[in-house]
Every structure is written in structure tokens, then in C-alpha cells.
């Protein structure tokens, strides 16, 4: 059997030894949102380190565990801390948790992240509904032998971020009085922030926000037929757009500043999609 699929199955078996919970919605929490998982009605948590063969995250501020529980009445699995490509894992490991949540039964995936704003209209603290993405600068997570058990060799990516979900999210944000931008997310490898020239390149490509995660997870989820949506928290203006130098503390501080509102939005989104 394919080694990537074998590893996935071993992780699924390891989780299934610990819980028979059936999630409907999967959530991946980005920087500053991690503690959302502490606020839900949890029924079980599983540390990544306790799942055999699971790639464990090394970023400060990212806890590494799955939280199973309920948001309102919706059964969810939450990834509190994601795996990033810049940590040195192959892309197949970066998207392993996403695929794992799909294999546990989640049919819908909500992705969140902190991102740098490329669009001149954006301000730090804004939320952006991801309408599409550009991943040309990172390897596709689907490179390698195709996992036939999950999906087709040449999957369509013309609507990665579900129009249906986007419509629901826009309506939800509007009803809550929350300003929601809409834009294209560009995934780069990180861990360094971009140069001003790279940001100009991303803008000329049609990008509105830039980050180091998310799009690869969205692709892996779409490959296996999971319905996907994503919301970015714009934590800073991207490199070269202000006099300020970029740092992780600023990213974290902005994310923390708007976390309460972001969490409220996520709760409503989970229960309405
Ligand atoms: N660039 C890349 N990733 C990010 C940024 C940024 O400016 N802000 C938050 N994550």
C-alpha cells in the first residue's frame, strides 16, 4: 500500500482507539485563535504526540492537539495548532491532520489563519473571507502517488472555497455587523516574512493576503471531497506597505485584539453552515 496512506490509516486507527466521536465539521485554528478550542463544549482531547506517526507542531503559541466536542449542537473536531511546511515536514505530513479529520467523518472544513494584508484597502484587525488561493510558490500536497482511496489524480480546483459556504458566512457576518473583506490568499513557504518585492509580486498575481498555511490544507480537503471555507485575520500590513518591520509579536497582538469577535463569528459560522 502507498506509504502516505498507510501512515494516515495508522493515525486514524490510533485516534479510533481513543474515541468513537463522529465530527461533522472540522476546524483548523490559526495564530491567536488557538484558545477557541478551550471555550467549546469538549468531550475529548487527544494530544498529537499521543497519535502514532503524527507530525507534531513546533511553533510557539500553537498547542498540539485535537479537541472533539460541540459548538452549539454541531459535533466538531478542532485542530488546536497546525503543522506548517516551514517546520520541515513534507507536504504529505503537513496535510495529514486535514485528511485525518476527513477520514474521521468531517464533511466540512473551516480554515482560519493570521495573514498579512496585501490589498491597500485592508487594515490590521480586518477579517477576510478567502474566495480563492494561489499556491504556485509551494509544492502541491497532492504530489506523489495519488491516494486513490481519497480522490482523483487530477482534481478540479475551480471552486476550492465553497460558494455555498461563502454565501452563508457573508450573511452571518452581515447579521452580526462584522465587516468581512473578500479576497485571494497567497501561500508562501515562510518562515521568514516576505520582502517588499515579493509582496509586489503577490499583488500583481492578484493576491489580497499572504500567509504560510491554509491553501495546502484546502487543496488536500478538496481532493477528498470535503467542503471547504476559510477566513483570514489580517494581522498586519505586508512587508514594504508601512515603515514597520514585521514580527510575530505584532501578528499575535493583532490576532489577540480581535480574537473575541473572530471567535463569535466562528461560532455562528459553525452552526449555520
Ligand atoms: N506574511 C506571511 N505570513 C503572515 C503574515 C505576513 O505578513 N502575517 C501573518 N502571517
Amino acid at each position: 500500500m502507498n506509504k502516505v496512506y498507510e501512515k494516515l490509516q495508522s493515525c486514524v486507527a490510533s485516534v479510533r482507539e481513543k474515541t468513537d466521536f463522529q465530527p461533522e465539521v472540522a476546524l483548523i485554528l490559526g495564530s491567536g485563535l488557538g484558545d477557541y478550542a478551550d471555550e467549546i463544549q469538549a468531550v475529548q482531547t487527544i494530544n498529537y504526540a499521543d497519535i502514532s506517526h503524527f507530525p507534531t507542531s513546533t511553533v510557539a503559541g500553537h498547542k498540539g492537539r485535537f479537541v472533539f466536542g460541540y459548538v452549539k449542537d454541531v459535533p466538531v473536531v478542532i485542530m488546536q495548532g497546525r503543522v506548517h511546511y516551514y517546520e520541515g515536514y513534507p507536504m504529505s505530513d503537513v496535510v495529514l491532520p486535514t485528511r485525518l479529520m476527513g477520514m474521521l467523518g468531517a464533511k466540512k472544513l473551516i480554515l482560519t489563519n493570521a495573514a498579512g494584508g496585501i490589498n491597500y484597502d485592508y487594515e490590521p484587525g480586518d477579517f477576510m473571507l478567502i474566495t480563492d488561493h494561489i499556491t504556485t510558490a509551494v509544492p502541491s500536497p497532492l504530489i506523489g502517488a495519488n491516494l486513490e482511496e481519497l480522490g482523483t489524480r487530477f482534481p478540479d480546483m475551480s471552486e476550492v472555497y465553497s460558494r455555498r459556504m461563502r454565501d452563508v458566512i457573508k450573511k452571518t457576518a452581515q447579521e452580526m455587523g462584522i465587516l468581512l473583506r473578500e479576497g485571494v490568499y497567497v501561500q508562501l513557504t515562510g518562515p521568514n516574512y516576505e520582502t517588499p518585492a515579493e509582496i509586489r509580486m503577490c499583488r500583481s498575481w492578484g493576491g489580497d493576503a499572504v500567509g504560510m498555511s491554509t491553501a495546502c490544507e484546502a487543496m488536500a480537503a478538496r481532493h477528498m471531497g470535503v467542503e471547504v471555507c476559510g477566513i483570514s485575520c489580517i494581522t498586519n500590513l505586508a512587508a514594504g506597505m508601512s515603515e514597520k518591520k514585521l514580527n510575530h509579536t505584532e501578528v499575535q497582538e493583532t490576532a489577540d485584539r480581535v480574537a473575541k469577535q473572530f471567535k463569535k463569528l466562528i461560532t455562528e459560522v459553525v452552526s449555520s453552515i
Side-chain angles (χ1 to χ4, degrees):
M1 202 201 294
N2 178 299
K3 285 261 180 307
V4 172
Y5 195 67
E6 226 170 82
K7 192 165 171 177
L8 254 171
Q9 281 201 312
S10 144
C11 289
V12 172
S14 183
V15 169
R16 281 296 173 226
E17 276 169 20
K18 304 176 203 342
T19 183
D20 60 3
F21 192 88
Q22 295 290 328
E24 269 176 33
V25 175
L27 258 158
I28 303 184
L29 303 178
S31 290
L33 252 195
D35 68 351
Y36 180 68
D38 300 329
E39 296 175 13
I40 72 152
Q41 196 191 329
V43 297
Q44 189 150 11
T45 61
I46 300 178
N47 292 329
Y48 299 157
D50 296 331
I51 303 171
S52 48
H53 303 114
F54 195 93
T56 43
S57 181
T58 58
V59 194
H62 285 269
K63 269 189 199 167
R65 59 182 195 171
F66 285 115
V67 177
F68 297 89
Y70 294 87
V71 171
K72 298 200 171 171
D73 285 332
V74 183
V76 298
V77 53
I78 298 184
M79 269 188 84
Q80 198 171 18
R82 53 158 50 97
V83 182
H84 297 86
Y85 184 57
Y86 61 70
E87 292 174 76
Y89 296 103
M91 267 295 182
S92 58
D93 270 356
V94 175
V95 300
L96 180 146
T98 303
R99 287 173 161 157
L100 175 57
M101 294 192 290
M103 287 168 76
L104 294 176
K107 299 274 183 292
K108 298 170 194 168
L109 171 65
I110 303 171
L111 294 161
T112 66
N113 61 42
I118 298 176
N119 187 314
Y120 287 114
D121 292 339
Y122 294 1
E123 283 172 27
D126 281 353
F127 302 141
M128 184 192 88
L129 181 63
I130 303 177
T131 56
D132 203 350
H133 70 215
I134 297 171
T135 66
T136 316
V138 295
S140 165
L142 307 179
I143 288 174
N146 184 46
L147 306 187
E148 290 295 332
E149 296 87 347
L150 300 186
T152 175
R153 170 77 293 187
F154 300 109
D156 175 68
M157 291 286 152
S158 53
E159 192 184 311
V160 177
Y161 302 88
S162 156
R163 182 166 288 281
R164 185 195 72 79
M165 280 175 151
R166 279 189 273 146
D167 286 344
V168 174
I169 295 168
K170 279 194 281 187
K171 187 162 171 277
T172 306
Q174 200 169 25
E175 283 167 5
M176 297 176 76
I178 293 175
L179 171 69
L180 189 62
R181 311 285 194 172
E182 289 182 69
V184 173
Y185 179 89
V186 183
Q187 179 175 2
L188 300 180
T189 65
N192 52 283
Y193 291 111
E194 300 70 32
T195 64
E198 284 164 340
I199 293 304
R200 288 195 297 275
M201 175 194 74
C202 292
R203 190 181 298 113
S204 74
W205 281 358
D208 296 291
V210 62
M212 309 173 190
S213 65
T214 305
C216 56
E217 297 155 348
M219 284 171 82
R222 283 309 302 140
H223 175 243
M224 66 191 296
V226 170
E227 195 179 6
V228 175
C229 63
I231 306 174
S232 294
C233 172
I234 305 296
T235 50
N236 56 283
L237 299 181
M241 293 177 68
S242 77
E243 295 302 313
K244 274 205 233 162
K245 292 222 160 64
L246 304 191
N247 66 76
H248 190 59
T249 308
E250 183 198 352
V251 167
Q252 206 98 44
E253 279 171 3
T254 309
D256 287 348
R257 174 164 66 79
V258 294
K260 211 167 153 192
Q261 205 180 26
F262 204 28
K263 289 181 211 171
K264 269 194 201 157
L265 176 64
I266 295 299
T267 296
E268 291 309 313
V269 166
V270 172
S271 58
S272 53
I273 56 162

